[in-house]
Amino acid sequence: MPSHAVQAQQEPIVIRFSHVVAADTPKGKAAVRFKQLAEEATHGRVRVQVYPNSELYRDREELEALQLGAVEMIAPSLSKFGPLGVREFEVFDLPFLFPDEAALHRITNGPIGAGMLQRLRLKGVIGLAFWDNGFKSFSANRPLLAPSDLTGLRLRIQPSRVLDAQMRALGAQPMTMRFGEVYAALEAGVVDGTENPPSNFYTQGMQDVQSHFTVSNHGYLGYAVIVNRKFWEDLPSEVREALEEAMRKATAYAASISQAENDRALNAIRASGKTQVHVLTETERQAWKKALSAVSVEMEDVIGRQLIADIRRTIG
Ligand code: LMR
């Protein structure tokens, strides 16, 4: 074998995995677990370089970077697929659609989820898995007990039409902003509040700049792990299979830690003594549900009426 061929064989295959949250979050930990599993399974033939905290690319930029092949793997939240021309992932943003994680997993682990990932191929990317974070809460610098408490506030959202409609239904002013800019915007008063699972809130230090956090669990935040299609299809098949297996295990790991990570973060928010945590009572929750009940119908044309109906039927 000519020496350059030996050299080529020995060159590791590098997967640059960019994401925007802290390493100490469900996504951050699952990315590191995938790295370990992938490197082990391929005996070092694949090297995974994980770049957390928007170190390499920020929200929209990482999607472009993936399509251009400047990174190989990313795991954007399901609210961020609009720039790919894929709005149906925003179904996961519909307020109060999923009663719990079990219902959500019936979609993400079932044929509906598989079909959604499959359709990404048309966009030049391969959808490998859904990763969990958890249910979102609202925060601001005032108590948030009733939906009307958000009226008039500027609230940061991810770039999702559904989230935009959700905030407007509450009489708030939605402001789309990259994740990495939220802390500074809250600190400067550019926005008054935000929504996120406790883990994202706490690991960004938002307890320093938000006095109230209401556990509303009004919507879900999760991810699709996606890879550049050409990169993936050009991999030797045995490498691709090993990576698929590593991804299955990392996905199970993400599902197994997400609730505990968010519980831990919620306790840490409470313990910080800086942010008052309120858990909605059942009566309060019903009022929020009612205030947001029209969003689903309003968004049918954006997401697809059939998809919403299929999901509702599947979760029962
Ligand atoms: C956000 O922008 O709030 C989230 O999508 C961040 C993340 O990746 O969890």
Side-chain angles (χ1 to χ4, degrees):
M1 190 180 291
S3 65
H4 68 269
V6 174
Q7 179 74 27
Q9 267 191 356
Q10 287 167 347
E11 281 291 299
I13 299 166
V14 174
I15 296 181
R16 290 162 292 184
F17 187 163
S18 167
H19 69 82
V20 300
V21 293
D24 194 16
T25 55
K27 178 162 62 177
K29 290 187 170 184
V32 169
R33 179 58 69 100
F34 171 71
K35 167 187 167 67
Q36 289 160 351
L37 291 163
E39 291 178 354
E40 247 171 59
T42 60
H43 309 288
R45 185 147 173 223
V46 170
R47 294 273 162 75
V48 182
Q49 299 167 352
V50 181
Y51 299 93
N53 259 327
S54 310
E55 251 170 43
L56 208 53
Y57 293 105
R58 300 180 300 175
D59 296 356
R60 194 191 170 119
E61 291 82 354
E62 69 176 14
L63 268 175
E64 286 161 9
L66 186 82
Q67 287 184 299
L68 293 170
V71 292
E72 287 70 33
M73 184 176 284
I74 60 176
S77 114
L78 300 166
S79 321
K80 293 180 179 167
F81 280 76
L84 279 185
V86 182
R87 287 280 171 198
E88 63 175 12
F89 280 73
E90 291 175 25
V91 73
F92 292 100
D93 292 330
L94 284 177
F96 296 108
L97 178 60
F98 301 100
D100 50 34
E101 237 167 43
L104 173 92
H105 285 161
R106 282 208 283 286
I107 305 307
T108 52
N109 297 336
I112 296 181
M116 292 175 84
L117 291 179
Q118 186 63 26
R119 286 192 284 283
L120 289 175
R121 291 177 72 84
L122 301 172
K123 307 293 171 183
V125 300
I126 303 275
L128 293 180
F130 289 104
W131 278 3
D132 285 327
N133 188 332
F135 288 93
K136 292 177 291 184
S137 291
F138 286 113
S139 67
N141 284 317
R142 61 156 84 150
L144 304 171
L145 307 184
S148 57
D149 293 328
L150 286 178
T151 304
L153 296 190
R154 286 159 302 176
L155 298 181
R156 179 269 171 169
I157 56 163
Q158 305 174 77
S160 149
R161 300 262 302 268
V162 172
L163 297 180
D164 187 276
Q166 170 194 275
M167 296 311 193
R168 287 184 198 282
L170 296 168
Q173 190 187 324
M175 289 180 72
T176 303
M177 191 175 286
R178 295 182 185 91
F179 183 65
E181 290 160 4
V182 181
Y183 178 92
L186 288 168
E187 189 179 34
V190 173
V191 287
D192 305 305
T194 183
E195 57 164 13
N196 238 307
S199 161
N200 275 352
F201 182 91
Y202 182 71
T203 54
Q204 293 298 311
M206 292 183 196
Q207 60 281 3
D208 294 341
V209 288
Q210 294 275 266
S211 62
H212 288 78
F213 186 89
T214 287
V215 179
S216 47
N217 292 331
H218 60 279
Y220 173 74
L221 190 146
Y223 311 103
V225 187
I226 56 179
V227 282
N228 178 289
R229 180 174 164 180
K230 176 156 175 35
F231 166 77
W232 195 250
E233 289 180 343
D234 286 351
L235 287 173
S237 61
E238 73 280 9
V239 170
R240 198 168 45 240
E241 278 157 26
L243 293 178
E244 279 165 356
E245 179 60 14
M247 184 54 66
R248 268 192 289 278
K249 290 182 178 159
T251 301
Y253 171 74
S256 76
I257 63 163
S258 59
Q259 183 66 52
E261 287 293 315
N262 278 303
D263 291 348
R264 191 164 67 95
L266 186 61
N267 286 336
I269 295 167
R270 283 196 176 102
S272 75
K274 298 172 187 162
T275 304
Q276 211 171 309
V277 175
H278 175 70
V279 181
L280 287 185
T281 64
E282 190 46 37
T283 312
E284 287 167 346
R285 191 175 153 83
Q286 288 308 326
W288 287 83
K289 255 182 129 160
K290 189 157 172 249
L292 292 166
S293 61
V295 175
S296 178
V297 176
E298 202 189 314
M299 288 292 110
E300 277 179 352
D301 291 345
V302 174
I303 299 167
R305 181 180 307 198
Q306 191 59 47
L307 178 62
I308 299 175
D310 289 348
I311 289 182
R312 286 196 194 283
R313 197 174 330 103
T314 306
I315 60 185

